Amino acid sequence: MIEIRKEGVLLYPTDKPFESRAVLNPAVLQEGENLVMLYRAVNASGISTIGKCIFKGPLEIVQRDNEPLLIPSGEEESAGIEDPRLVKIDGTYLLSYTAFDGLNALGAVAVSTDLETFERYGVIVPKILFPAFRMLAEQSGALNPKYARYAHDKTLAKGNRPLLVWDKDLVFFPRRINGKLYLLHRIKPDIQLASGVNLSDFDKPFWEDHLKHFQKHILLRPMFAHEVSYIGGGCPPIETEWGWLVIYHGVCDTPDGYRYSACAALLELDKPEREIARLPYPLFYPEKAWERDGEINDVCFPSGAAVFSGRLYIYYGAADFCIACASVDLKGLCVELWRFRDL
């Protein structure tokens, strides 16, 4: 077992209208000794925007904006923009997030050169009803029955609006691999992997072909008790000498409801579709008061990570109410993972 240090709560909601109800699920990007954090901010009506703050080092806040950095735009984001992740590739910041219209939740992207102004690229995951998804996906093998359960297969529309397969937790790798952009995305209950040369590659024909070979694009499936219900992408992968370190979330159903834990796996550097190892136990889980009691109880939702002086700092939403941090020795975690490479 490895030693996890809970660093405590970094951000609580404030009396500012855009973040009066909750702050959670932050994206972070390390730039020198500073850390930029873009986080989900929820107002009293439950509408999410993206807030911004700056840290000196991993834990000291030196700036927190009084207004949201990004607000919903267009029909696909009309009920909120949620759960950001952030990377910088080829000099451009890629902000991935969930666009929510009150019915459908889909992975979207905005790009920036300065983290001040953003150009919406829009939803880049498939927009598809479950029967069409099943027809394509089962060309490569039978689907886990949980796909139908989580994709609302009995309900195809509400009113005159189609209910699409939810595809969330869109997370880019922080650099190109063999010239391609790689991303994690999540159609419950598994984590899938996709790649393309440019954002424009992720279009309707791409996804139709991708879904026809769906089984080979499933990267991680629930394996252990703490993630038995479903899993989802977390932080952008961290490049190490042992492989890509992936911090993701795992969910298990308990008598008191779902419990979200932080989990860890290693992937091959040049072939990230290959899993090297996975921790057979949660990296950390809800145990502190701020993780167990909130908007949704028993949630540790990791979504951003940075390395300072050999220590990995993991930033997470706690109980869907506040933002906290946990840290671990990076080498120690990778060595521990390496022990389980033959599982």
Side-chain angles (χ1 to χ4, degrees):
M1 300 287 285
I2 53 177
E3 180 185 356
I4 293 289
R5 187 166 69 209
K6 296 284 180 76
E7 304 287 356
V9 177
L10 303 182
L11 271 72
Y12 281 108
T14 70
D15 58 2
K16 301 178 183 68
F18 79 100
E19 59 180 13
S20 61
R21 180 169 173 176
V23 294
L24 64 156
N25 303 357
V28 301
L29 189 69
Q30 187 174 357
E31 299 197 315
E33 288 302 308
N34 290 333
L35 189 78
V36 179
M37 177 182 285
L38 307 184
Y39 59 92
R40 178 178 171 185
V42 188
N43 68 16
S45 300
I47 302 297
S48 295
T49 59
I50 304 298
K52 179 183 177 183
C53 61
I54 306 294
F55 287 75
K56 180 181 178 181
L59 302 172
E60 181 187 353
I61 298 176
V62 294
Q63 176 186 328
R64 184 170 180 178
D65 290 359
N66 292 319
E67 300 290 339
L69 176 67
L70 280 174
I71 62 174
S73 174
E75 180 61 31
E76 291 177 331
E77 302 177 2
S78 56
I81 47 179
E82 305 175 350
D83 304 346
R85 275 79 164 194
L86 183 63
V87 298
K88 187 179 184 180
I89 299 177
D90 302 334
T92 299
Y93 298 98
L94 299 181
L95 177 67
S96 54
Y97 58 93
T98 296
F100 186 51
D101 66 4
L103 185 64
N104 297 301
L106 299 169
V109 176
V111 298
S112 176
T113 58
D114 57 10
L115 290 183
E116 296 294 337
T117 59
F118 287 82
E119 179 183 352
R120 296 298 211 286
Y121 201 87
V123 170
I124 68 165
V125 298
K127 301 176 186 178
I128 192 167
L129 294 169
F130 184 76
F133 166 78
R134 186 203 291 273
M135 181 185 68
L136 291 171
E138 290 197 334
Q139 292 185 33
S140 62
L143 278 176
N144 181 334
K146 283 188 176 181
Y147 277 95
R149 171 189 169 190
Y150 290 128
H152 319 288
D153 67 321
K154 303 295 191 299
T155 305
L156 300 183
K158 289 188 177 180
N160 61 353
R161 299 170 63 196
L163 181 57
L164 304 175
V165 174
W166 282 26
D167 195 337
K168 300 175 61 176
D169 297 324
L170 178 61
V171 185
F172 284 92
F173 283 67
R175 67 165 173 85
R176 290 181 179 271
I177 303 171
N178 303 317
K180 290 186 175 182
L181 298 171
Y182 273 74
L183 60 85
L184 307 174
H185 65 115
R186 198 280 304 278
I187 301 173
K188 284 182 180 177
D190 305 322
I191 297 174
Q192 297 84 28
L193 181 72
S195 64
V197 176
N198 299 301
L199 287 177
S200 58
D201 289 347
F202 300 102
D203 57 11
K204 185 176 181 180
F206 171 91
W207 287 114
E208 287 180 351
D209 181 71
H210 180 91
L211 294 175
K212 287 177 183 178
H213 305 90
F214 188 67
Q215 294 296 331
K216 80 172 187 178
H217 297 303
I218 298 174
L219 176 65
L220 300 174
R221 294 176 170 89
M223 183 182 295
F224 301 111
H226 61 278
E227 59 186 24
V228 67
S229 295
Y230 55 88
I231 58 177
C235 312
I238 300 106
E239 187 171 4
T240 77
E241 63 182 278
W242 295 271
W244 290 107
L245 173 61
V246 176
I247 306 298
Y248 63 99
H249 67 267
V251 184
C252 66
D253 201 0
T254 76
D256 297 322
Y258 286 128
R259 184 173 75 170
Y260 284 66
S261 299
C263 311
L266 282 176
L267 309 176
E268 287 194 15
L269 287 178
D270 292 331
K271 295 182 178 179
E273 64 273 14
R274 295 184 180 178
E275 179 183 353
I276 298 171
R278 193 186 314 195
L279 281 187
Y281 55 85
L283 181 60
F284 60 89
Y285 57 90
E287 55 181 341
K288 302 293 186 180
W290 66 79
E291 302 162 337
R292 303 216 57 201
D293 185 16
E295 286 286 309
I296 299 179
N297 297 338
D298 291 326
V299 172
C300 290
F301 190 96
S303 49
V307 179
F308 288 88
S309 302
R311 195 162 186 86
L312 178 66
Y313 291 82
I314 301 167
Y315 302 84
Y316 64 99
D320 275 18
F321 177 70
C322 59
I323 293 171
C325 181
S327 69
V328 61
D329 180 76
L330 177 60
K331 180 178 179 179
L333 172 56
C334 291
V335 170
E336 174 74 352
L337 272 161
W338 197 252
R339 292 178 52 226
F340 299 105
R341 63 190 181 278
D342 295 324
L343 284 183

